[in-house]
Amino acid sequence: MKFNRILLSATLIVVALVVQVSVLARLQLPGAVPDLVLLTVVGLALVHGPVSGSLIGFTAGLLSDLAPPADHAAGRYALVLCVIGYLVGLARPDNGRLTSATGPMAVVVAAAVGSTLLYAGVGALVGDTAARHVGLGFLLFTAAVYDLLLAPFTVPLIMALARRAENDPLADAGGGNGADVASGWLSSGTGLRIGTQRGGLRVKAARSRASRAGRIKGVKRL
């Protein structure tokens, strides 16, 4: 992994974990808790792919296992996020761009449901039956809803930062295709088209050619 990628990923994971422990975990919402750490792993894995996604997920999960007030065995959530990071990384498009918000939203829902099922499954293997008392179905539903509501405010930003840390031309507003991997989410449903700057550059170039032709004609007449 590149140094910029490691530094940015570590910073985002630490910030997400602090917010998760100090704010989100104290909301006392019914059912599950909004999982900012999971959304951070999802955003980074969608940009960096399955291998980096699994490493990022394992690191984020291990830090979550060790952060207070964790009440489960260390390594449990690390295993879950490692698997989720790898699977989400497989959903990364080959061209590095997403054209709509449908794909990322489906990935977020799948990650929320999958992480809850994996966590409950690993817990059942080690004798943790907390999910049975709350109701697994209710946990799955609330986890998907909470993460889906939080995702539009976090995942696009994380993906954009990850692109810029990679020095990817897709992250430059005026270069290449003029859109990064988060453009599909940010522009979906707004009626706006990413790449208007490129159209503006074309108009400017056409005006420049027209003015140049006018000057040449004026010289010929003289």
mmCIF file of all heavy atoms in Angstrom, residues 49-77:
data_model
loop_
_atom_site.group_PDB
_atom_site.id
_atom_site.type_symbol
_atom_site.label_atom_id
_atom_site.label_comp_id
_atom_site.label_asym_id
_atom_site.label_seq_id
_atom_site.Cartn_x
_atom_site.Cartn_y
_atom_site.Cartn_z
ATOM 1 N N GLY A 49 -10.074 -1.359 -3.785
ATOM 2 C CA GLY A 49 -10.186 -2.743 -4.213
ATOM 3 C C GLY A 49 -10.184 -3.742 -3.070
ATOM 4 O O GLY A 49 -10.088 -3.375 -1.894
ATOM 5 N N PRO A 50 -10.268 -5.058 -3.407
ATOM 6 C CA PRO A 50 -10.479 -6.086 -2.376
ATOM 7 C C PRO A 50 -9.296 -6.321 -1.435
ATOM 8 O O PRO A 50 -9.504 -6.508 -0.233
ATOM 9 C CB PRO A 50 -10.777 -7.347 -3.203
ATOM 10 C CG PRO A 50 -10.194 -7.080 -4.546
ATOM 11 C CD PRO A 50 -10.305 -5.610 -4.772
ATOM 12 N N VAL A 51 -8.074 -6.318 -1.953
ATOM 13 C CA VAL A 51 -6.925 -6.622 -1.094
ATOM 14 C C VAL A 51 -6.730 -5.524 -0.052
ATOM 15 O O VAL A 51 -6.648 -5.787 1.155
ATOM 16 C CB VAL A 51 -5.652 -6.809 -1.936
ATOM 17 C CG1 VAL A 51 -4.440 -7.025 -1.029
ATOM 18 C CG2 VAL A 51 -5.798 -7.979 -2.900
ATOM 19 N N SER A 52 -6.661 -4.291 -0.518
ATOM 20 C CA SER A 52 -6.523 -3.176 0.420
ATOM 21 C C SER A 52 -7.754 -3.069 1.307
ATOM 22 O O SER A 52 -7.652 -2.727 2.487
ATOM 23 C CB SER A 52 -6.316 -1.863 -0.337
ATOM 24 O OG SER A 52 -5.100 -1.890 -1.058
ATOM 25 N N GLY A 53 -8.934 -3.348 0.739
ATOM 26 C CA GLY A 53 -10.156 -3.295 1.526
ATOM 27 C C GLY A 53 -10.145 -4.274 2.681
ATOM 28 O O GLY A 53 -10.598 -3.959 3.783
ATOM 29 N N SER A 54 -9.617 -5.477 2.439
ATOM 30 C CA SER A 54 -9.552 -6.467 3.520
ATOM 31 C C SER A 54 -8.557 -6.045 4.602
ATOM 32 O O SER A 54 -8.821 -6.224 5.799
ATOM 33 C CB SER A 54 -9.164 -7.834 2.949
ATOM 34 O OG SER A 54 -7.885 -7.787 2.335
ATOM 35 N N LEU A 55 -7.427 -5.482 4.193
ATOM 36 C CA LEU A 55 -6.441 -5.022 5.176
ATOM 37 C C LEU A 55 -6.983 -3.850 5.993
ATOM 38 O O LEU A 55 -6.805 -3.791 7.218
ATOM 39 C CB LEU A 55 -5.149 -4.615 4.465
ATOM 40 C CG LEU A 55 -4.374 -5.735 3.772
ATOM 41 C CD1 LEU A 55 -3.190 -5.164 3.009
ATOM 42 C CD2 LEU A 55 -3.909 -6.768 4.789
ATOM 43 N N ILE A 56 -7.631 -2.915 5.308
ATOM 44 C CA ILE A 56 -8.226 -1.775 6.004
ATOM 45 C C ILE A 56 -9.320 -2.248 6.951
ATOM 46 O O ILE A 56 -9.429 -1.792 8.087
ATOM 47 C CB ILE A 56 -8.773 -0.762 4.988
ATOM 48 C CG1 ILE A 56 -7.622 -0.120 4.208
ATOM 49 C CG2 ILE A 56 -9.605 0.313 5.675
ATOM 50 C CD1 ILE A 56 -8.072 0.710 3.023
ATOM 51 N N GLY A 57 -10.147 -3.179 6.477
ATOM 52 C CA GLY A 57 -11.223 -3.698 7.320
ATOM 53 C C GLY A 57 -10.698 -4.416 8.548
ATOM 54 O O GLY A 57 -11.233 -4.244 9.649
ATOM 55 N N PHE A 58 -9.652 -5.225 8.376
ATOM 56 C CA PHE A 58 -9.086 -5.930 9.518
ATOM 57 C C PHE A 58 -8.538 -4.952 10.554
ATOM 58 O O PHE A 58 -8.761 -5.108 11.760
ATOM 59 C CB PHE A 58 -7.983 -6.878 9.058
ATOM 60 C CG PHE A 58 -7.308 -7.611 10.179
ATOM 61 C CD1 PHE A 58 -7.883 -8.757 10.724
ATOM 62 C CD2 PHE A 58 -6.107 -7.163 10.707
ATOM 63 C CE1 PHE A 58 -7.271 -9.437 11.761
ATOM 64 C CE2 PHE A 58 -5.490 -7.828 11.748
ATOM 65 C CZ PHE A 58 -6.069 -8.974 12.274
ATOM 66 N N THR A 59 -7.816 -3.928 10.086
ATOM 67 C CA THR A 59 -7.248 -2.937 11.007
ATOM 68 C C THR A 59 -8.343 -2.173 11.735
ATOM 69 O O THR A 59 -8.282 -1.985 12.957
ATOM 70 C CB THR A 59 -6.353 -1.964 10.237
ATOM 71 O OG1 THR A 59 -5.338 -2.692 9.536
ATOM 72 C CG2 THR A 59 -5.695 -0.976 11.188
ATOM 73 N N ALA A 60 -9.359 -1.720 10.977
ATOM 74 C CA ALA A 60 -10.457 -0.977 11.599
ATOM 75 C C ALA A 60 -11.216 -1.846 12.597
ATOM 76 O O ALA A 60 -11.576 -1.395 13.686
ATOM 77 C CB ALA A 60 -11.404 -0.462 10.518
ATOM 78 N N GLY A 61 -11.448 -3.106 12.237
ATOM 79 C CA GLY A 61 -12.156 -4.000 13.150
ATOM 80 C C GLY A 61 -11.368 -4.305 14.404
ATOM 81 O O GLY A 61 -11.939 -4.375 15.509
ATOM 82 N N LEU A 62 -10.062 -4.471 14.259
ATOM 83 C CA LEU A 62 -9.238 -4.756 15.430
ATOM 84 C C LEU A 62 -9.209 -3.575 16.389
ATOM 85 O O LEU A 62 -9.277 -3.751 17.618
ATOM 86 C CB LEU A 62 -7.817 -5.118 14.987
ATOM 87 C CG LEU A 62 -6.861 -5.586 16.080
ATOM 88 C CD1 LEU A 62 -7.399 -6.832 16.770
ATOM 89 C CD2 LEU A 62 -5.468 -5.844 15.504
ATOM 90 N N LEU A 63 -9.114 -2.365 15.836
ATOM 91 C CA LEU A 63 -9.154 -1.185 16.695
ATOM 92 C C LEU A 63 -10.505 -1.069 17.399
ATOM 93 O O LEU A 63 -10.570 -0.683 18.567
ATOM 94 C CB LEU A 63 -8.883 0.076 15.867
ATOM 95 C CG LEU A 63 -7.461 0.245 15.330
ATOM 96 C CD1 LEU A 63 -7.365 1.482 14.451
ATOM 97 C CD2 LEU A 63 -6.457 0.319 16.469
ATOM 98 N N SER A 64 -11.574 -1.429 16.694
ATOM 99 C CA SER A 64 -12.895 -1.410 17.321
ATOM 100 C C SER A 64 -13.000 -2.454 18.423
ATOM 101 O O SER A 64 -13.650 -2.229 19.448
ATOM 102 C CB SER A 64 -13.975 -1.663 16.259
ATOM 103 O OG SER A 64 -13.963 -0.660 15.266
ATOM 104 N N ASP A 65 -12.360 -3.613 18.225
ATOM 105 C CA ASP A 65 -12.368 -4.651 19.254
ATOM 106 C C ASP A 65 -11.655 -4.206 20.523
ATOM 107 O O ASP A 65 -12.033 -4.599 21.635
ATOM 108 C CB ASP A 65 -11.695 -5.927 18.714
ATOM 109 C CG ASP A 65 -12.555 -6.622 17.674
ATOM 110 O OD1 ASP A 65 -13.788 -6.499 17.745
ATOM 111 O OD2 ASP A 65 -11.992 -7.289 16.790
ATOM 112 N N LEU A 66 -10.601 -3.399 20.349
ATOM 113 C CA LEU A 66 -9.788 -2.990 21.494
ATOM 114 C C LEU A 66 -10.274 -1.697 22.141
ATOM 115 O O LEU A 66 -9.886 -1.394 23.273
ATOM 116 C CB LEU A 66 -8.326 -2.823 21.059
ATOM 117 C CG LEU A 66 -7.649 -4.080 20.488
ATOM 118 C CD1 LEU A 66 -6.246 -3.753 20.017
ATOM 119 C CD2 LEU A 66 -7.628 -5.188 21.526
ATOM 120 N N ALA A 67 -11.083 -0.925 21.406
ATOM 121 C CA ALA A 67 -11.538 0.363 21.941
ATOM 122 C C ALA A 67 -12.607 0.141 23.008
ATOM 123 O O ALA A 67 -13.512 -0.671 22.827
ATOM 124 C CB ALA A 67 -12.091 1.233 20.821
ATOM 125 N N PRO A 68 -12.513 0.854 24.134
ATOM 126 C CA PRO A 68 -13.570 0.742 25.156
ATOM 127 C C PRO A 68 -14.842 1.406 24.651
ATOM 128 O O PRO A 68 -14.775 2.331 23.833
ATOM 129 C CB PRO A 68 -12.970 1.511 26.344
ATOM 130 C CG PRO A 68 -11.984 2.455 25.729
ATOM 131 C CD PRO A 68 -11.450 1.777 24.512
ATOM 132 N N PRO A 69 -16.009 0.949 25.046
ATOM 133 C CA PRO A 69 -16.260 -0.120 26.024
ATOM 134 C C PRO A 69 -16.565 -1.466 25.369
ATOM 135 O O PRO A 69 -17.652 -2.007 25.545
ATOM 136 C CB PRO A 69 -17.490 0.409 26.753
ATOM 137 C CG PRO A 69 -18.248 1.150 25.663
ATOM 138 C CD PRO A 69 -17.235 1.672 24.700
ATOM 139 N N ALA A 70 -15.654 -1.985 24.551
ATOM 140 C CA ALA A 70 -15.859 -3.257 23.861
ATOM 141 C C ALA A 70 -16.078 -4.376 24.880
ATOM 142 O O ALA A 70 -15.339 -4.494 25.862
ATOM 143 C CB ALA A 70 -14.656 -3.573 22.979
ATOM 144 N N ASP A 71 -17.108 -5.184 24.633
ATOM 145 C CA ASP A 71 -17.445 -6.257 25.573
ATOM 146 C C ASP A 71 -17.415 -7.632 24.901
ATOM 147 O O ASP A 71 -18.093 -8.554 25.334
ATOM 148 C CB ASP A 71 -18.838 -6.018 26.177
ATOM 149 C CG ASP A 71 -19.911 -5.893 25.108
ATOM 150 O OD1 ASP A 71 -19.547 -5.859 23.911
ATOM 151 O OD2 ASP A 71 -21.099 -5.828 25.464
ATOM 152 N N HIS A 72 -16.630 -7.741 23.819
ATOM 153 C CA HIS A 72 -16.539 -9.012 23.116
ATOM 154 C C HIS A 72 -15.077 -9.379 22.918
ATOM 155 O O HIS A 72 -14.175 -8.576 23.184
ATOM 156 C CB HIS A 72 -17.255 -8.927 21.759
ATOM 157 C CG HIS A 72 -16.759 -7.802 20.899
ATOM 158 N ND1 HIS A 72 -17.334 -6.552 20.887
ATOM 159 C CD2 HIS A 72 -15.718 -7.744 20.032
ATOM 160 C CE1 HIS A 72 -16.686 -5.777 20.050
ATOM 161 N NE2 HIS A 72 -15.692 -6.473 19.516
ATOM 162 N N ALA A 73 -14.852 -10.591 22.442
ATOM 163 C CA ALA A 73 -13.483 -11.079 22.260
ATOM 164 C C ALA A 73 -12.773 -10.288 21.171
ATOM 165 O O ALA A 73 -13.358 -9.961 20.130
ATOM 166 C CB ALA A 73 -13.505 -12.570 21.900
ATOM 167 N N ALA A 74 -11.498 -9.964 21.407
ATOM 168 C CA ALA A 74 -10.703 -9.241 20.421
ATOM 169 C C ALA A 74 -10.525 -10.089 19.174
ATOM 170 O O ALA A 74 -10.239 -11.281 19.252
ATOM 171 C CB ALA A 74 -9.350 -8.877 21.017
ATOM 172 N N GLY A 75 -10.694 -9.458 18.034
ATOM 173 C CA GLY A 75 -10.568 -10.148 16.767
ATOM 174 C C GLY A 75 -11.891 -10.506 16.127
ATOM 175 O O GLY A 75 -11.940 -10.842 14.942
ATOM 176 N N ARG A 76 -12.963 -10.406 16.884
ATOM 177 C CA ARG A 76 -14.281 -10.778 16.344
ATOM 178 C C ARG A 76 -14.729 -9.805 15.258
ATOM 179 O O ARG A 76 -15.096 -10.230 14.148
ATOM 180 C CB ARG A 76 -15.286 -10.819 17.479
ATOM 181 C CG ARG A 76 -16.703 -11.189 17.073
ATOM 182 C CD ARG A 76 -17.575 -11.317 18.316
ATOM 183 N NE ARG A 76 -18.991 -11.422 17.978
ATOM 184 C CZ ARG A 76 -19.962 -11.492 18.888
ATOM 185 N NH1 ARG A 76 -19.656 -11.456 20.175
ATOM 186 N NH2 ARG A 76 -21.222 -11.585 18.502
ATOM 187 N N TYR A 77 -14.712 -8.526 15.555
ATOM 188 C CA TYR A 77 -15.124 -7.546 14.559
ATOM 189 C C TYR A 77 -14.056 -7.367 13.488
ATOM 190 O O TYR A 77 -14.364 -6.984 12.356
ATOM 191 C CB TYR A 77 -15.440 -6.216 15.235
ATOM 192 C CG TYR A 77 -16.354 -5.331 14.422
ATOM 193 C CD1 TYR A 77 -17.495 -5.847 13.828
ATOM 194 C CD2 TYR A 77 -16.089 -3.983 14.251
ATOM 195 C CE1 TYR A 77 -18.347 -5.055 13.077
ATOM 196 C CE2 TYR A 77 -16.934 -3.170 13.512
ATOM 197 C CZ TYR A 77 -18.049 -3.718 12.926
ATOM 198 O OH TYR A 77 -18.887 -2.923 12.180
#
